[in-house]
Amino acid sequence: MVNITKTLYCDVAIIGGGTGGCAAAIECGRKGLHTILLERSVTLGGLATNGYVPQIAGGIEGLSLEFAKRLDEIGQLRSPYPDKDYYRNPSFEPEYGKLVLEDMLFEAGARILYDSTCIGTVVENEKIQAAIFYTKGGYMKVVADIFIDATGDADVAALSGVPYEVGGQDFAGLNQGTSQGSRWAGADLIKYQAAEDEYKASEREKGREPLYPLIYVLEEEAIKKGEISRHVCTKRSGFYRVRIPNTPEDNAEFVTFSFQSYFCHNTDVEDITRQILEQHQLIKQFHKFLRKYVPGFENVRLVGLGSIPGVRDSRRIFGEYMLKASDVASGMKFKDGIARFPERFDAHHPTNQWWYTIRHIHIPSPIGSAVMEESHIGQDCDARMHPFGVPGGYPARVNPQDYCEIPYRCLLPKKIENLLCVGRCCSAEFHANGAMRIIAPAMGTGQAAGIAAHMSISKGIPPRQVDGVKVREQLIKEGVLLDQPCDGYWKEIREKKPNFAIDRGDEIVFVEDD
């Protein structure tokens, strides 16, 4: 038994200061609960800020909408659609993201404790009595009525004996590919776009339809010369990057999370280290490549490396309900739906850079709004996509005009009565994990967990006995319009004629009538 040097008491202890944990703490604080959020680093935001993934993806509503608006009000948000009255994939200054989240927690009355790493729990009668933390001042014990696991890796749940799963069946237990986030400055994107346009026009004049972006073609040549070990860019969209606000297009700052590792085991310290070392080398190679070969990037500078690994999935709890990949594909709705996911499948390929992402699953027969292929071996079902064999059934993709809901039961782990989980460690199958992983739905699960914690404590019942329908109703009262279809961008998508095709990135796209 460790020597405890400090003991703290609270109503709700939230472990993990990513966006999901922050949303839970804000909601609990606003409900008047004595709330402590404990974070192992020294800033909030998790991967969104510390990992350089500052883009709010998903259906932006509830606390994620408030977060976006507050960033916008202080000039630290960049919208790709400035003429619209909605937010769609806005990027933000990650340093201000940390500060805005901190302000939101403080104003809500939630306490923050930094530099606190959870190393164990005390469990009696299927209830966490206390969580143990390693801090600079020694070992600390936190006693709470309700604990919320927002670690991303289900650390608290695993330490408490909650059953969990790692990896996907169709990839023999491998995790999704991981990516090192990084920040860059000094790019002339106008010059690059002009070179891209000139390249494509030249190819067409020669009677060749350009298959890939210019930067991908240049990268291919550098790979042949041994100057870079593999592709960073994709054959579909080239160099994926997210613009930082308040930087001009001819001298832009951006972040990217394109430095990928494969065959990952994301709970193994040796393999995580292997990934980080590999990604760091790839960053150095790519930096030289950009400056040497790519128009507009001659003076680009590397100005920051993400301070936490770019892990997309690790442990996923077994909960009262496990969100199925078929639920995501078919646009499943639930009576206790507390957040929603209007995006495509977003599993980053575990083994192969050629495909990069997997946008389809296989299901036995058509269901709901899923967009199906007619053959078991679909358009993109080659050996690179399915290295362990093609799953049974038919390829199915998310209908971009629909969305699925995340039920409250996904937040409820088996075996432990006073624990809720939020974000990517919620109960979901491998390919459904993306529904909780990205910022907006992660914050949605956090907000719902905060409401459930308040109901649990005020009624004197465990979270498992809290009625998820009542949680949903409270979210609606707070302005999360779960009783209405997704609006804004998603309303525009619903109004399009549903003529779909599959592009070269395994993705559903709209095609215009001839």
Side-chain angles (χ1 to χ4, degrees):
M1 183 66 181
V2 297
N3 181 36
I4 301 297
T5 61
K6 184 190 291 281
T7 300
L8 298 177
Y9 300 88
C10 58
D11 294 325
V12 183
I14 298 153
I15 297 90
T19 53
C22 286
I26 292 164
E27 189 69 27
C28 288
R30 289 177 178 175
K31 292 284 187 290
L33 298 175
H34 188 161
T35 303
I36 302 177
L37 182 144
L38 301 108
E39 164 58 34
R40 66 181 181 180
S41 71
V42 294
T43 50
L44 299 178
L47 270 172
T49 56
N50 296 305
Y52 285 135
V53 192
Q55 185 175 46
I56 308 175
I60 301 174
E61 52 195 353
L63 286 175
S64 66
L65 178 58
E66 182 180 339
F67 179 47
K69 285 182 175 179
R70 289 181 68 139
L71 286 162
D72 203 0
E73 287 168 0
I74 59 174
Q76 299 298 332
L77 192 86
R78 179 182 181 274
S79 175
Y81 308 97
D83 58 330
K84 299 291 187 179
D85 62 355
Y86 57 73
Y87 296 118
R88 167 63 177 157
N89 285 341
S91 59
F92 59 91
E93 168 55 64
E95 306 309 324
Y96 261 96
K98 301 169 186 177
L99 300 177
V100 168
L101 289 170
E102 195 171 75
D103 287 345
M104 290 174 73
L105 263 75
F106 184 82
E107 292 165 13
R111 186 179 182 187
I112 304 166
L113 287 180
Y114 288 127
D115 198 22
S116 303
T117 302
C118 185
I119 61 168
T121 59
V122 179
V123 177
E124 294 179 8
N125 300 319
E126 297 189 335
K127 185 177 179 181
I128 300 174
Q129 304 298 319
I132 310 301
F133 296 82
Y134 180 76
T135 74
K136 187 63 67 178
Y139 295 102
M140 177 177 68
K141 181 167 70 172
V142 177
V143 180
D145 293 326
I146 299 292
F147 291 84
I148 297 178
D149 188 337
T151 62
D153 298 308
D155 291 340
V156 179
L159 289 167
S160 304
V162 172
Y164 60 84
E165 182 177 42
V166 179
Q169 174 271 333
D170 50 338
F171 287 95
L174 291 172
N175 288 116
Q176 296 182 42
T178 66
S179 301
Q180 171 70 63
S182 54
R183 182 168 181 160
W184 304 73
D188 186 342
L189 302 181
I190 296 174
K191 182 177 180 180
Y192 174 76
Q193 189 58 53
E196 174 87 19
D197 294 342
E198 182 181 350
Y199 160 72
K200 289 181 177 178
S202 174
E203 288 293 288
R204 291 189 178 107
E205 282 181 8
K206 298 171 186 175
R208 297 195 295 259
E209 182 62 30
L211 292 176
Y212 306 125
L214 171 61
I215 194 168
Y216 187 90
V217 175
L218 295 172
E219 198 176 47
E220 186 73 22
E221 292 301 314
I223 291 170
K224 291 176 183 177
K225 295 175 182 177
E227 295 177 333
I228 186 169
S229 58
R230 64 167 184 262
H231 281 290
V232 171
C233 304
T234 70
K235 64 183 186 298
R236 179 179 183 268
S237 55
F239 183 20
Y240 183 80
R241 56 191 180 268
V242 175
R243 286 274 304 279
I244 297 294
N246 304 315
T247 64
E249 197 169 2
D250 61 353
N251 188 20
E253 286 194 34
F254 61 89
V255 299
T256 183
F257 25 98
S258 298
F259 302 100
Q260 195 102 334
S261 287
Y262 300 93
F263 297 94
C264 297
H265 295 280
N266 293 336
T267 57
D268 184 301
V269 64
E270 290 182 291
D271 194 57
I272 291 172
T273 303
R274 183 268 306 179
Q275 298 166 31
I276 294 169
L277 292 172
E278 178 182 44
Q279 291 159 7
H280 287 175
Q281 291 301 309
L282 192 56
I283 286 171
K284 291 195 299 181
Q285 296 164 14
F286 190 69
H287 190 192
K288 291 179 181 178
F289 158 76
L290 286 175
R291 292 175 68 99
K292 185 175 181 180
Y293 294 113
V294 183
F297 289 85
E298 297 90 347
N299 299 308
V300 73
R301 307 187 313 278
L302 173 65
V303 296
L305 293 176
S307 60
I308 54 178
V311 169
R312 294 183 171 89
D313 74 312
S314 59
R315 303 183 192 95
R316 308 184 314 278
I317 64 162
F318 281 85
E320 289 300 301
Y321 183 83
M322 181 174 285
L323 189 71
K324 300 176 179 62
S326 59
D327 293 335
V328 178
S330 63
M332 186 66 73
K333 312 298 187 292
F334 299 91
K335 290 182 179 179
D336 61 339
I338 47 81
R340 48 191 175 182
F341 180 69
E343 301 277 6
R344 62 209 172 178
F345 283 115
D346 194 34
H348 286 241
H349 207 288
T351 68
N352 196 281
Q353 65 174 330
W354 175 259
W355 282 114
Y356 194 73
T357 51
I358 309 164
R359 305 299 193 193
H360 76 273
I361 60 168
H362 286 246
I363 56 179
S365 58
I367 181 173
S369 61
V371 180
M372 304 286 296
E373 291 186 72
E374 296 181 355
S375 172
H376 166 229
I377 305 297
Q379 174 178 311
D380 296 334
C381 293
D382 62 15
R384 293 168 296 190
M385 177 65 79
H386 299 295
F388 297 97
V390 181
Y394 300 88
R397 291 170 177 81
V398 173
N399 187 323
Q401 297 178 308
D402 201 2
Y403 63 93
C404 80
E405 292 184 335
I406 301 164
Y408 170 65
R409 289 161 289 161
C410 291
L411 282 58
L412 298 171
K414 293 183 179 294
K415 291 195 174 183
I416 299 296
E417 290 299 311
N418 63 334
L419 178 65
L420 290 153
C421 293
V422 302
R424 74 172 189 235
C425 62
C426 287
S427 184
E429 292 178 348
F430 178 76
H431 289 282
N433 170 261
M436 287 90 153
R437 175 170 62 78
I438 60 178
I439 292 176
M443 294 189 79
T445 62
Q447 187 171 356
I451 290 171
H454 178 253
M455 289 181 174
S456 171
I457 290 171
S458 62
K459 296 176 183 294
I461 59 175
R464 203 177 313 280
Q465 292 180 22
V466 170
D467 187 349
V469 175
K470 298 296 184 184
V471 176
R472 177 187 175 95
E473 290 174 355
Q474 182 60 35
L475 284 162
I476 293 171
K477 288 180 183 177
E478 294 182 12
V480 185
L481 303 180
L482 298 168
D483 56 340
Q484 301 176 24
C486 299
D487 62 2
Y489 170 82
W490 310 106
K491 181 176 183 293
E492 292 181 2
I493 291 295
R494 286 196 305 276
E495 292 172 350
K496 287 189 174 185
K497 190 172 182 179
N499 291 339
F500 300 133
I502 302 168
D503 74 0
R504 63 185 179 211
D506 195 39
E507 192 165 329
I508 285 287
V509 293
F510 288 91
V511 293
E512 300 294 333
D513 291 328
D514 292 334

